[in-house]
Amino acid sequence: MNEAVGDGRRGSGWSLRLRLGLWLALAVTALWLAAATVAGLVLRREIGEVFDSALQEVAQRVLPLAYAELLSRDGGSATQHMAPIGPHREYITYVVRDADGRELLQSSDADLMQIPRSLPPGFHSTERLRTYTEAAVRGTILVTTAEDLGHRRAAVRRAVVALIWPLVALVPIALVGVWLSVRLSLRPVITFRSAIEERGRGNLAPVAAVGLPEEIAPVATSVNALLERLRGALEAERGFTANSAHELRTPIAAALAQTQRLVAELPGGAPRERARSVAVALKRLSRLSEKLLQLAKAEGGGLLAETPTPLAPVLRHVIADIDRLTDRGEDLMVEIPPDSGLVCDLDPDAFAILARNLIENALKHGTPGTPVRVRLADGLFEVSNGGPVVPADRLARLIRPFERGPTGAEGSGLGLAIVAAICRGAGLTLDLASPIPGEADGFRARVRFAAVPQA
């Protein structure tokens, strides 16, 4: 089972730029469609009035001409058709009838219209036609003009389509324009957001508030005030940790020295054994206080260095110090790049604490006689040792303070908790695995971090 520590993820919600751009584009589209609809209704009414006026005017123009034409006839009752001047489509047709409904005169396309008979004077609409009838000579002559309603509907439809069609080109242009406008307007806000994100890994410098809108400027002021208070709290905590380390080590070391001297001076027997037990307890207290101070430093912040540094020299120094104190350097199989190795912005002291705890845990809890493998490579630091398999449910709890695995070795149960706290504070990832992948048993701790290109 792998336990990832310090894996922060950004929320998956829509950005403010996308929301504003989308809503503004939708609003422009909706307003354009609403305007096109209103314009279509107005156009339909206006076009209807124009065509009605045309029907009325044609009837009034044809009436005196038809009356003169009838008076000049030599005789006969056949319907006279007015020949067209040229080939064209006749949108408005007319027919002249007498009081009995007989057709006396009609336009060339009147037969196609099938204009109804016995229409009262004025406007009249059927399912297919719009007509206007004008009477003269005491109702003995009736002129009826007609227009196909489909022609009116087609005219309105073409006018509305002409209004809506630009929307096809307007929507992409509006989207691009809105996106650019929103992007330019929110550039200071985006810069402010990026600056706050950079403060997530130990950078407590004030956030620049230049160019922010009035709604966001107070937020920047509050954030800077909070960072200032946090910086003061961390500095006070680091000062307390340093002072506590000095104040605790000195009396414990003095008491341990006096106890060891007492052990040497006492004769054999129960008093000497009690003094030796006190010395052992003081040594355990010294190690525990050191671990607690390391845990306080790991949880207190200040884990990132201002300048990225190579980690290989720090690891070599830690291994040499462990060999000097425990004389177990020969049990370590160390793999470090021959060059300066990985360059990272992790504080060297924090990496030294992390590496020391992982290596000491492996030496203490690993199977005796089996080597402890230490590897520093691009993007990771890994320590693995042999030993019994740690159950999956207990493996997930090993990063808690005072939690111990299936081992009989002495320990405080703080080593992995300190490593996990450093990884959380520095934005690293800690993976624990048991058994070692590809093997039957063992334990592996792997720390992943982003490398910084070396100058």
Side-chain angles (χ1 to χ4, degrees), residues 188-262:
V189 179
I190 302 303
T191 304
F192 177 65
R193 183 202 67 182
S194 301
I196 291 180
E197 288 180 346
E198 293 174 358
R199 274 40 176 197
R201 298 185 68 237
N203 183 6
L204 300 180
V207 180
V210 179
L212 288 177
E214 296 180 357
E215 294 80 3
I216 306 296
V219 177
T221 304
S222 301
V223 168
N224 287 332
L226 178 61
L227 290 175
E228 183 64 28
R229 290 196 297 270
L230 182 59
R231 187 186 305 110
L234 291 178
E235 290 176 355
E237 186 172 355
R238 283 194 291 268
F240 171 77
T241 301
N243 294 331
S244 298
H246 176 73
E247 295 297 332
L248 285 174
R249 287 172 183 172
T250 301
I252 291 176
L256 180 60
Q258 293 295 329
T259 304
Q260 290 174 343
R261 182 177 179 180
L262 183 62

Side-chain angles (χ1 to χ4, degrees), residues 45 61 80 136 146 160 175 239 250 265 300 317 322 358 408 414-416:
R45 187 186 65 184
R61 294 281 186 177
Q80 184 175 356
V160 173
L175 284 175
T250 301
E265 294 176 352
H317 177 74
I322 291 176
L358 289 180
L414 291 174
L416 289 179

Side-chain angles (χ1 to χ4, degrees), residues 5-11 427-429:
V5 180
D7 185 15
R9 298 181 180 178
R10 186 183 297 179
L428 311 180
T429 302

Side-chain angles (χ1 to χ4, degrees), residues 31-303:
L31 288 175
W32 189 281
L33 290 175
T37 302
V38 174
L41 296 175
V42 174
L43 277 174
R44 186 174 65 177
R45 187 186 65 184
E46 296 297 329
I47 288 176
E49 292 179 356
V50 169
F51 281 110
D52 284 348
S53 177
L55 287 174
Q56 188 175 13
E57 185 174 354
V58 169
Q60 293 174 354
R61 294 281 186 177
V62 168
L63 186 58
L65 297 176
Y67 182 66
E69 178 68 21
L70 292 177
L71 291 178
S72 62
R73 281 189 181 184
D74 296 335
S77 59
T79 303
Q80 184 175 356
H81 293 268
M82 298 297 294
I85 298 176
H88 69 282
R89 183 177 178 182
E90 199 173 65
Y91 292 105
I92 297 178
T93 62
Y94 62 88
V95 62
V96 181
R97 297 187 176 99
D98 59 13
D100 297 329
R102 289 178 301 179
E103 294 181 356
L104 306 176
L105 182 67
Q106 67 180 27
S107 61
S108 58
D109 292 342
D111 291 336
L112 300 178
M113 287 289 191
Q114 298 180 357
I115 301 174
R117 300 176 183 272
S118 303
L119 293 174
F123 291 100
H124 182 73
S125 296
T126 65
E127 293 182 359
R128 191 174 61 90
L129 299 177
R130 176 70 168 173
T131 64
Y132 176 76
T133 302
E134 185 81 27
V137 194
R138 298 183 180 181
T140 58
I141 298 177
L142 298 173
V143 178
T144 301
T145 55
E147 179 198 6
D148 192 345
L149 288 177
H151 174 240
R152 294 193 180 191
R153 288 191 288 266
V156 174
R157 184 167 56 250
R158 286 192 297 267
V160 173
V161 170
L163 289 174
I164 296 178
W165 179 250
L167 188 63
V168 177
L170 177 66
V171 170
I173 295 174
L175 284 175
V176 174
V178 168
W179 183 81
L180 289 176
S181 301
V182 172
R183 182 179 180 85
L184 293 175
S185 301
L186 293 182
R187 179 176 293 177
V189 179
I190 302 303
T191 304
F192 177 65
R193 183 202 67 182
S194 301
I196 291 180
E197 288 180 346
E198 293 174 358
R199 274 40 176 197
R201 298 185 68 237
N203 183 6
L204 300 180
V207 180
V210 179
L212 288 177
E214 296 180 357
E215 294 80 3
I216 306 296
V219 177
T221 304
S222 301
V223 168
N224 287 332
L226 178 61
L227 290 175
E228 183 64 28
R229 290 196 297 270
L230 182 59
R231 187 186 305 110
L234 291 178
E235 290 176 355
E237 186 172 355
R238 283 194 291 268
F240 171 77
T241 301
N243 294 331
S244 298
H246 176 73
E247 295 297 332
L248 285 174
R249 287 172 183 172
T250 301
I252 291 176
L256 180 60
Q258 293 295 329
T259 304
Q260 290 174 343
R261 182 177 179 180
L262 183 62
V263 170
E265 294 176 352
L266 287 175
R272 187 172 186 176
E273 291 299 323
R274 287 196 295 270
R276 185 177 288 111
S277 299
V278 173
V280 172
L282 287 174
K283 288 181 180 180
R284 187 181 300 112
L285 179 60
S286 177
R287 290 194 297 269
L288 178 60
S289 63
E290 182 180 1
K291 294 295 182 182
L292 289 174
L293 291 174
Q294 290 179 358
L295 181 61
K297 177 178 175 57
E299 293 179 343
L303 302 176

